[in-house]
Amino acid sequence: MERIDRAQARAWLATAVAEARAGLAEGGIPIGAALYGADGTLLGRGHNRRVQDGDPSAHAETAAFRDAGRQRTYRGTTMVTTLSPCWYCSGLVRQFGISRVVVGEAATFHGGHDWLAEHGVGIVLLDDPECTELMRDFIEKNPDLWKEDIGD
């Protein structure tokens, strides 16, 4: 699998952060994602819409995946997400053979990225301060909503 450098990963993360901020502005949970093709083309983007749509499956990674539409293959693609993917979204990555995941942060939630790495998915963990601050602020102001979304 071709590696991406951290500068490219950070540039792609900006798309996911913009999505997270859009979700927050809509009254939702500030998690954003984007799916990039093997050639670096933005295929799809989205944000968590569980609150806005009343749909527990409307996670950011799912939204980005759906926005990308049907692809012949997901080999070589990169899912970029502001937060370590939950088990549901980690399963999506494995199910469709997405090659790598760029994680903005895993301090507020350590999702399934270790499991993905154990199964051959490339992981780039950026520990991005903006992503961490966005989630910490949200969790502090909305602890019940966060627990509901994260399954606690």
Side-chain angles (χ1 to χ4, degrees):
M1 171 177 39
E2 184 180 319
R3 297 186 61 113
I4 61 170
D5 64 30
R6 291 182 80 76
Q8 180 65 69
R10 286 195 180 283
W12 288 353
L13 181 63
T15 305
V17 169
E19 286 293 327
R21 291 200 178 281
L24 183 62
E26 295 169 358
I29 297 159
I31 303 170
L35 184 66
Y36 281 88
D39 65 354
T41 302
L42 177 62
L43 300 174
R45 60 191 295 164
H47 52 271
N48 185 301
R49 294 193 49 85
R50 188 187 64 78
V51 173
Q52 299 92 311
D53 296 349
D55 178 355
S57 69
H59 289 206
E61 296 87 344
T62 305
F65 181 76
R66 288 176 179 159
D67 188 52
R70 184 174 171 207
Q71 305 292 314
R72 290 185 59 76
T73 182
Y74 295 90
R75 209 173 353 263
T77 62
T78 301
M79 180 66 74
V80 182
T81 180
T82 57
L83 184 66
S84 180
C86 69
W87 290 112
Y88 171 68
C89 295
S90 294
L92 180 145
V93 168
R94 288 279 322 277
Q95 174 69 31
F96 291 96
I98 293 170
S99 296
R100 78 182 60 79
V101 177
V102 172
V103 178
E105 67 102 351
T108 60
F109 177 71
H110 193 99
H113 67 271
D114 291 336
W115 176 75
L116 288 170
E118 290 169 8
H119 289 88
V121 177
I123 301 295
V124 179
L125 179 55
L126 295 175
D127 292 319
D128 182 77
E130 182 179 9
C131 291
T132 304
E133 181 180 343
L134 192 60
M135 284 311 305
R136 284 196 174 134
D137 287 349
F138 178 81
I139 293 166
E140 183 180 312
K141 293 174 184 167
N142 304 279
D144 291 337
L145 186 54
W146 171 247
K147 289 176 185 170
E148 179 186 322
D149 189 60
I150 211 63
D152 280 351

